[in-house]
Amino acid sequence: MDASATDRKSLSSQDILNRRLRWLMFFRVVTTTFLLATTIAVQFRTQGGGADTALAALYALIGTIFFFTFVYAVVLPRYFSEALQAYLQIFGDILTTTAVVYLTGGLESAFSFMYVLAVLNAGILLKMRGALLTASLSSIVYGALLDLHFYNYISPFMIRFFYVHYQPADILYTILMNMGAFYLVALLIGFLARQAEESRIELAERQSDLERLEELNETIIQSIDHGLMTLGPNGEILSFNPAAERITGYGFGQVRGRPYGVVFPGLDLDETPVGEEFPYADQDWRYLRSDGQTLDLGLNLLDLKDRGGGAMGRLLVIHDRTRLRRMEEEVKKIEKMAAIGAMAAAIAHEIRNPLASMNGSFQLLEEYLEGGEEAHRLTAIIRREIDRLKNIVSDFLLFARPRPSQPEPLDLSRIIEDLLGLFENQEEMDEAILLEKYLTPGLWIRFDRSQLEQVLWNLLQNAVTAMPGGGRLAVATRRTEDGDRMVELSVADTGV
């Protein structure tokens, strides 16, 4: 048991002891007042008045009990712990009982059983140890009172038959019988108090475990992605977790106690008797929310039973399959596009082979053609168009079936410098375009050379196309703030 649990247990025991002390003070006042009032009433009837010394002493005792109760309730809690308050109150009860026995006849008093009440109170408040201590102290005080009375050291009030009936053996017998009763009650109440305390602790632990289990169960229900809707025997909605609120668009307060048809119009659960397979378990339920959104839901119905196997209700589990269905559709589209791409790549490959044959045959045919300006112009057109078709087919193959990347160490600025030298000699490069280079030397990267040149070439062509009337084209490389891990390549233009 951890420290916090020990503190909670100690605090709980103190609270219980404090509550028992308050009840003890209440019943002490009620019981003592009733018993003494009964004695006074009897004495009034037998003696015809209440002015003798015994009755005055009884009145004084009642006032003393009320005074002690005030002290117990107001003064002691300020200065003493609950356990010490219990010992002081039990000791006060023994003294009060002794005074009652003395005032009501000593040997002839009918209130000796009040010592047993003190032992019971001690066992309830202080368990076995307190009960045995109270039984011992009660035995000593009661035995001393009877001995002092028998040997005429004291003269209790209300004595009627003392000199007629009592012998030394009777006194010893009375003391031993009461002592036996005190200790038997102490052992019994101590055992019962210990059993009650153990049961209380076990019950508190079980209650704590139950609360933790309920909290865990509630957390799981609140956190689960599937909607959970608990239905009563008549189809009324008993619970609705946050996932169900999010899926259906209804709050629990809107549907609590209402029929499930309010949330799922058209769904008839009565067609599925308890214990039979739910017909909608493997089917999509097209659900229209109040906001107009359509969802693909999967529903599953479970029977809820108690420990005896009796039906308690049903649990409707709601799966939101909308995103899954959309992903499946996207995968189908991707697969379809991949199939089309593979077919297109095969067609392009088949087209490129005849073009290569035509180009080779045309080169051989040119050797047999007689010269002439018109012949050369026509052959140049044919050769150019064949090359253009080859480039188109190659570009299409690169898009439809790109080759695997082959990274290698590259000097970035060196490659860009060489590529810009080739690009400056292209027909697209207008003299009105000013090419500016801001290249940082020594920037080594690991990249596919062909892909890098292709990307940069496309960017340069786009920039030139965007500046039909001329402008400034700037290419720059630099290290980023990450140091040696990253570099930056930028292509900027002043075009539209």
Side-chain angles (χ1 to χ4, degrees), residues 14-309:
Q14 292 177 2
D15 293 339
I16 293 174
L17 182 56
N18 188 31
R19 185 167 61 250
R20 289 176 178 175
L21 284 172
R22 295 182 181 276
W23 278 107
L24 175 60
M25 287 184 282
F26 172 76
F27 284 112
R28 180 188 296 113
V29 173
V30 174
T31 304
T32 306
T33 302
F34 173 77
L35 293 175
L36 292 177
T38 303
T39 304
I40 293 173
V42 171
Q43 290 300 318
F44 265 104
R45 294 190 61 184
T46 56
Q47 297 182 9
D52 59 8
T53 307
L55 292 178
L58 289 176
Y59 283 122
L61 182 60
I62 293 175
T64 303
I65 293 174
F66 280 109
F67 173 74
F68 279 152
T69 302
F70 174 79
V71 173
Y72 295 154
V74 178
V75 179
L76 292 185
R78 297 183 179 182
Y79 304 101
F80 302 100
S81 64
E82 284 80 2
L84 188 54
Q85 291 180 55
Y87 278 110
L88 291 176
Q89 290 197 35
I90 295 300
F91 181 73
D93 287 345
I94 295 174
L95 294 181
T96 303
T97 301
T98 303
V100 171
V101 172
Y102 174 75
L103 292 175
T104 56
L107 284 168
E108 298 178 354
S109 175
F111 294 103
S112 60
F113 72 91
M114 292 179 64
Y115 287 109
V116 176
L117 296 179
V119 175
L120 288 173
N121 291 334
I124 295 174
L125 296 175
L126 304 170
K127 303 181 180 61
M128 181 71 75
R129 181 178 179 181
L132 292 175
L133 182 60
T134 304
S136 300
L137 186 59
S138 299
S139 299
I140 294 172
V141 174
Y142 183 64
L145 176 64
L146 295 190
D147 287 338
L148 292 174
H149 184 193
F150 180 77
Y151 291 107
N152 294 320
Y153 288 102
I154 59 175
S155 298
F157 298 101
M158 302 181 185
I159 298 176
R160 292 176 295 173
F161 308 108
F162 172 65
Y163 295 105
V164 178
H165 294 286
Y166 290 103
Q167 300 296 325
D170 297 330
I171 303 300
L172 180 61
Y173 176 77
T174 301
I175 293 176
L176 292 178
M177 287 295 294
N178 281 278
M179 288 179 60
F182 296 162
Y183 280 105
L184 285 176
V185 171
L187 292 174
L188 179 60
I189 193 62
F191 174 76
L192 294 177
R194 184 176 63 186
Q195 291 293 104
E197 181 66 16
E198 292 177 354
S199 299
R200 184 187 66 81
I201 295 175
E202 183 178 359
L203 181 61
E205 292 176 352
R206 290 182 179 272
Q207 182 67 23
S208 178
D209 293 340
L210 179 60
E211 291 176 355
R212 287 196 296 268
L213 184 60
E214 289 179 350
E215 183 179 358
L216 177 61
N217 182 60
E218 185 67 20
T219 302
I220 293 175
I221 292 176
Q222 296 296 322
S223 303
I224 196 170
D225 290 336
H226 297 325
L228 301 178
M229 186 169 68
T230 306
L231 305 178
N234 299 322
E236 70 276 14
I237 300 175
L238 302 180
S239 68
F240 214 59
N241 73 333
E245 294 180 348
R246 185 184 68 253
I247 293 172
T248 62
Y250 289 96
F252 181 45
Q254 298 175 275
V255 299
R256 175 186 293 178
R258 303 184 67 182
Y260 65 86
V262 173
V263 181
F264 291 101
L267 180 64
D268 189 3
L269 300 182
D270 297 333
E271 295 179 355
T272 308
V274 176
E276 293 190 6
E277 184 178 357
F278 187 51
Y280 300 102
D282 298 324
Q283 301 180 16
D284 285 341
W285 179 271
R286 299 290 290 181
Y287 182 72
L288 180 62
R289 287 167 47 110
S290 58
D291 58 3
Q293 182 180 1
T294 303
L295 302 180
D296 292 321
L297 304 182
L299 304 180
N300 196 8
L301 187 64
L302 305 176
D303 296 326
L304 298 179
K305 299 181 180 180
D306 55 20
R307 293 185 177 181

Side-chain angles (χ1 to χ4, degrees), residues 420-439:
L420 291 177
L422 295 174
F423 189 78
E424 288 178 324
N425 297 321
Q426 297 298 311
E427 295 181 359
E428 296 88 348
M429 190 63 178
D430 196 328
E431 295 181 355
I433 297 176
L434 177 62
L435 180 60
E436 299 178 356
K437 295 178 285 187
Y438 305 96
L439 306 178

